[in-house]
Amino acid sequence: MDTVILYGSMKCPDCPPAVDLLNRKKIPFSFVEILDSMENLKIFLTIRDKQEVLKPARESNFIGIPCIFWSKTNEYYLDIHFFLKEYATKDFHI
């Protein structure tokens, strides 16, 4: 199954617009609120610390959210517009 997961926090000024944009584009996704629990935070930090795409966020002392994972490409995206472009160009729509 094709899965899109948005890791973020509604306390982050960049995350609510990302949620709204995915909803407007009618892209089904799950939202993981990283501040809801220590488990969610640990899961995201493990991803952030291991994924090369998140290296600039780590090196700049940023959290790295919003962060999108797309199972079809098995990739993480920090740039929502790049993700949307990839999503639109792939013949993988749900």
Side-chain angles (χ1 to χ4, degrees), residues 13-28:
D14 298 323
C15 291
V19 169
D20 291 342
L21 186 54
L22 290 175
N23 283 329
R24 281 197 317 272
K25 297 290 185 178
K26 299 188 182 337
I27 297 174

Side-chain angles (χ1 to χ4, degrees), residues 28-88:
F29 68 98
S30 298
F31 181 73
V32 176
E33 171 61 67
I34 67 168
L35 298 180
D36 268 356
S37 68
M38 286 302 290
E39 181 180 0
N40 286 356
L41 181 58
K42 287 178 181 180
I43 289 168
F44 177 71
L45 290 177
T46 299
I47 292 166
R48 201 255 330 241
D49 290 348
K50 292 182 179 182
Q51 294 298 316
E52 189 65 26
V53 72
L54 290 154
K55 184 177 181 180
R58 288 191 308 270
E59 290 176 347
S60 299
N61 295 317
F62 291 114
I63 297 170
I65 56 174
C67 177
I68 299 168
F69 173 75
W70 187 19
S71 67
K72 277 291 186 191
T73 59
N74 198 36
E75 292 185 31
Y76 291 86
Y77 302 83
L78 279 181
D79 183 331
I80 190 165
H81 298 290
F82 181 75
F83 165 73
L84 291 172
K85 188 183 215 183
E86 288 280 300
Y87 191 87

